Amino acid sequence: MIDLERELARALRPQEAPAGFAERVLRADRSRRARRRTWLAAASFALVLLPAGWAYQRHQQQQRAEAQLRLALEVASERLNLALQRLNPPTE
Amino acid sequence: MRRTDPLDLELSMPLEAAPAEAGFVPGSFREIVAAHQSRVFSIAFHALRNRAQAEDVAQEVFLRLSSRLDTIQSEAHLVAWLRRVTARLCIDELRRPARNAPSLEGVAEPGEAAEPGDPFLSAHLRRLLADLPGPARLALILRYQEDLEPQEIAAVLNEPVPTIKSRLARGLQRLRDGLKHLGVEA
C-alpha cells in the first residue's frame, strides 16, 4: 500500500523552466513595451493634433465670417452712398 | 469600445493571504523572473501537460506582472499573484477545446534527472492527473506541488473553501481508483 499524498507530491515536484526562458520573457517584455510606447506616441500625437486641427478650422471659419461681414458692410455702405447721392444730388 | 478583462478585475482584488509589507520594493523584473520561473512553469506544465503551452502561459504571466509590478505589496503578495494568474490562465487554456486534449508529453521526461521514488508510479500518477477536470487538477497541483492548505487554494482560485475540499477529495479518490486498476492500493 502506497502513501498517495507523498507519491503525488513526488510526481508533482517542480520542473525547471526551459533553457533561455527568462531571456525570452525579457525580450518579449521589451518588445511589448516598445509597441506600447509607439501606440502611446501615436495617441499623444493625435491628442495634440486633433484640438490643434479643430482650433485651426474654427479660426478659418471666423476669418471667412469676418470677410463676409466686411464685404456685406462694404456693399451696404456703397448702397447708402448711392441712396444719399440720389437724395442730395450734387449742385453745380 | 474596449471591454474590461474580468481576469484583470479579479486580479486587482486584494489577496487576504498576502499581507502588505511596509516599504516593500520588488526586485528588478529580471530577478523576479529568475526567482519564480520554475514555480510558474511547473504549475502550468503540470496543469497542461504540454511544455510549449506551459511556456506560453508562463511567459504571459510574467508579461502581465511586468505592467503591474508597482502594485505588488510584498513577497507573499507576489507569490500569491503569480499562483493566481497562472492558475487562471491555465483554466482558460484548458477551456479551449482544440488544445484541451491531454498530451503525453512530459509524462516521462526525456533527459531528466532520475526521479526519487518509483518513476513508473509517478508517471502513472501524472497521467491520471491529466485525466482529471481542469479545476480539480489545479487544486491538486496547488495542494501537492505548492504545498498550500485548502484555504489558501480557495484564495488563489477565488472559490469557496468547501468547493476546494470537495475537489481535492474527489480528485484523490479518482487517482486511487485509477491506481487500483494497476493493482496499486493507495
Side-chain angles (χ1 to χ4, degrees), chain A residues 8-87:
Chain A
L8 200 50
R10 269 186 191 153
L12 293 176
R13 75 198 186 287
Q15 301 278 314
E16 283 299 314
F21 173 77
E23 286 309 315
R24 285 194 290 281
V25 169
L26 294 171
R27 209 166 35 239
D29 183 50
R30 279 195 296 272
S31 157
R32 196 177 270 198
R33 280 174 189 276
R35 273 203 308 275
R36 199 177 299 150
R37 272 198 298 272
T38 308
W39 276 107
L40 273 175
S44 310
F45 186 65
L47 277 175
V48 170
L49 209 64
L50 281 175
W54 181 77
Y56 178 73
Q57 198 181 8
R58 284 277 304 218
H59 176 72
Q60 292 285 84
Q61 280 174 348
Q62 279 173 354
Q63 297 260 302
R64 274 200 301 273
E66 275 174 24
Q68 282 173 353
L69 181 64
R70 207 174 300 121
L71 182 66
L73 288 172
E74 278 170 13
V75 169
S77 165
E78 285 286 321
R79 287 192 177 172
L80 276 172
N81 280 337
L82 279 174
L84 279 172
Q85 279 173 13
R86 280 182 194 155
L87 285 173

Side-chain angles (χ1 to χ4, degrees), chain A residues 1-2 4-5 7-16 18 21-26 28-29 32-33, chain B residues 29-30 37-38 41-42 46 55 58-60 62-63 66 112 115 117 121 125-126 129 144-145 185:
Chain A
M1 180 142 172
I2 62 157
L4 178 60
E5 298 192 63
E7 292 300 333
L8 200 50
R10 269 186 191 153
L12 293 176
R13 75 198 186 287
Q15 301 278 314
E16 283 299 314
F21 173 77
E23 286 309 315
R24 285 194 290 281
V25 169
L26 294 171
D29 183 50
R32 196 177 270 198
R33 280 174 189 276
Chain B
F29 184 55
R30 179 186 290 272
Q37 57 179 344
S38 172
F41 177 77
S42 294
H46 287 311
E55 186 172 343
Q59 177 164 309
E60 182 59 28
F62 284 113
L63 291 179
S66 163
E112 199 173 73
E115 294 185 20
L121 181 60
L125 273 173
R126 286 195 292 266
L129 193 71
Y144 294 103
Q145 181 198 302
E185 284 294 327

